[in-house]
Amino acid sequence: MNKIIISPSILSADFANLASEIEAVKDAGADWIHIDVMDGHFVPNITVGVPVVKSLKKVTDMVLDTHLMIENPEKYIEPFAKAGSDILTFHYEACKDNEHVGNVISVIKSFNIKAGISIKPKTEPEKIFSFLNDVDLVLVMTVEPGFGGQEFMHDCALKIPKIKANAKEDLIIQVDGGINNLTGKICTSLGANSLVAGSYIYNSSNYRRAIESLKN
Ligand code: DX5
Ligand code: ZN
């Protein structure tokens, strides 16, 4: 069985104790740390930015999987890359045309980090087919981005096999939104190999058990 990369979203963690919250999921078997960056424009919520990534880089060696839910992503790639993001995933919908999308991918790659592209629930997967060879990761949103703790949108998961059928062998297909032990299984059986989970892990009383249930 292929390895499933588990990336807990710190959006549901205790923000007053982020270092220990990250250490706890690492000890419990998590692979990456998912950092949700929201600007109050692309999505109706504001979360964290560059200083938080910079601080977390100092206290963990985990892969910092940074999900940019922001307008004008090209402006912020350099600061996030220099702060220590190992993966930068931006939204297709934040770009005005395909040339813009291509530019954002090129800028991310110029920092020798992984480039990811994400699509919101209403965006058809075909829109990003021409970029599948250029990115390292595709993030399929299974909720409207903006908040943790929302309900999984089953229809969105059907994008996974379409993307997989058109992707190179090593493309990481990640899913984010409403992931728990049941919805995670749906996604991995359809071809996803990375799961983001916020509330399912951080609201559970046993992080290890929650993470194990996503992997198996
Ligand atoms: C939503 C964020 C998600 C969110 C997931 O906009 O991108 O990463 O934290 O939270 P859950 O797992 O609770 O749906
Ligand atoms: Zn996210």
Side-chain angles (χ1 to χ4, degrees):
M1 199 174 67
N2 284 334
K3 182 175 156 57
I4 308 294
I5 299 163
I6 306 298
S7 194
S9 164
I10 57 167
L11 195 56
S12 295
D14 175 2
F15 271 87
N17 293 292
L18 276 185
S20 60
E21 286 281 66
I22 288 173
E23 196 62 25
V25 289
K26 182 184 179 187
D27 290 348
D31 301 290
W32 297 349
I33 287 296
H34 187 83
I35 304 170
D36 286 305
V37 176
M38 305 187 190
D39 67 353
H41 293 277
F42 183 73
V43 288
N45 196 7
I46 298 176
T47 54
V48 299
V50 172
V52 171
V53 173
K54 199 172 175 185
S55 297
L56 294 181
K57 195 70 182 178
K58 292 180 190 151
V59 297
T60 184
D61 59 1
M62 290 186 85
V63 168
L64 300 182
D65 165 26
T66 311
H67 178 190
L68 300 176
M69 287 161 275
I70 62 174
E71 287 179 358
N72 306 311
E74 67 287 350
K75 281 192 190 170
Y76 302 96
I77 288 161
E78 179 167 359
F80 277 106
K82 288 189 171 162
S85 290
D86 299 286
I87 304 169
L88 277 178
T89 298
F90 69 100
H91 268 269
Y92 169 81
E93 302 84 0
C95 297
K96 60 180 185 296
D97 53 28
N98 278 359
E99 191 184 340
H100 189 182
V101 173
N103 286 342
V104 177
I105 295 169
S106 303
V107 180
I108 297 173
K109 286 185 157 177
S110 73
F111 291 96
N112 288 319
I113 57 174
K114 283 193 165 68
I117 187 167
S118 182
I119 49 172
K120 297 204 289 183
K122 292 193 185 78
T123 303
E124 294 301 329
E126 289 78 10
K127 301 269 191 199
I128 58 164
F129 279 0
S130 61
F131 303 107
L132 294 181
N133 285 329
D134 302 327
V135 294
D136 301 285
L137 178 152
V138 169
L139 171 53
V140 176
M141 290 302 301
T142 42
V143 298
E144 281 297 337
F147 300 91
Q150 302 181 78
E151 199 171 322
F152 181 79
M153 298 166 77
H154 284 261
D155 287 359
C156 297
L158 301 176
K159 297 175 186 178
I160 298 166
K162 293 184 183 173
I163 291 165
K164 195 171 170 61
N166 286 278
K168 56 188 176 179
E169 191 60 34
D170 60 351
L171 182 74
I172 299 164
I173 303 180
Q174 186 178 60
V175 187
D176 184 7
I179 296 297
N180 58 34
N181 57 328
L182 301 176
T183 57
K185 291 288 167 304
I186 293 170
C187 295
T188 53
S189 67
L190 289 169
N193 57 356
S194 177
L195 300 175
V196 175
S199 52
Y200 179 66
I201 295 174
Y202 277 111
N203 293 353
S204 79
S205 55
N206 186 323
Y207 294 172
R208 175 168 291 279
R209 205 183 303 145
I211 289 169
E212 287 300 321
S213 76
L214 293 172
K215 285 186 172 179
N216 299 309

